[in-house]
Amino acid sequence: MKVSLEEAQTVLRLNSPAAIVQAFNQLEGVIVTNDDRECRYYLGERQSRQTTFTVNPVDTTGAGDAFVAGFLHQLCQMPLQKLEDPATAHGVIRYASATAALTTLGKGAIQPQPTHEQVMAFLGA
């Protein structure tokens, strides 16, 4: 499950990814994004966080969708069980965060969507 901090607090009355997984035990993982501040997640029975990348945003429209797209793109590259490894989980979240950050550098939600190559260049990989 991916929710914003506002959604987690308003709808679920929780803000910790681990607490959300505990409350809804059928979930295998939870990601809570907090705008341009950070992303906290519970994957592979571990909770961690990823700070956002510092960019000069032009338009934040589509950043949340881009985050999910980047996350799903990474999941399509590996078995789901790989998220149990903390380094792999962090890498997937970092990639998703970079995808969201790059999307804010253009106007609108579609045009600025980065390619895999652009995300990897941004990450210095």
Side-chain angles (χ1 to χ4, degrees):
M1 170 189 284
K2 185 272 186 201
V3 294
S4 69
L5 179 60
E6 182 180 346
E7 291 165 337
Q9 291 172 331
T10 303
V11 177
L12 305 173
R13 305 249 188 261
L14 298 166
N15 62 12
S16 161
I20 294 169
V21 168
Q22 192 171 26
F24 301 93
N25 61 9
Q26 71 276 20
L27 297 174
E28 293 185 30
V30 172
I31 302 166
V32 179
T33 57
N34 189 8
D35 299 325
D36 63 349
R37 289 178 273 296
E38 69 177 355
C39 166
R40 291 179 298 131
Y41 59 94
Y42 184 88
L43 298 169
E45 298 186 23
R46 290 175 191 82
Q47 184 164 278
S48 191
R49 66 183 61 223
Q50 166 69 45
T51 56
T52 58
F53 293 97
T54 303
V55 296
N56 294 315
V58 172
D59 184 358
T60 60
T61 303
D65 292 333
F67 180 96
V68 172
F71 182 80
L72 293 175
H73 173 73
Q74 288 295 287
L75 287 187
C76 288
Q77 310 303 309
M78 67 184 77
L80 188 59
Q81 294 80 10
K82 287 265 195 175
L83 289 179
E84 294 174 8
D85 172 58
T88 300
H90 187 75
V92 169
I93 294 294
R94 188 169 181 263
Y95 184 96
S97 295
T99 305
L102 288 170
T103 299
T104 69
L105 299 179
K107 275 225 170 273
I110 303 301
Q111 183 273 332
Q113 292 284 321
T115 64
H116 172 71
E117 291 75 18
Q118 289 169 317
V119 175
M120 295 307 289
F122 180 79
L123 291 172

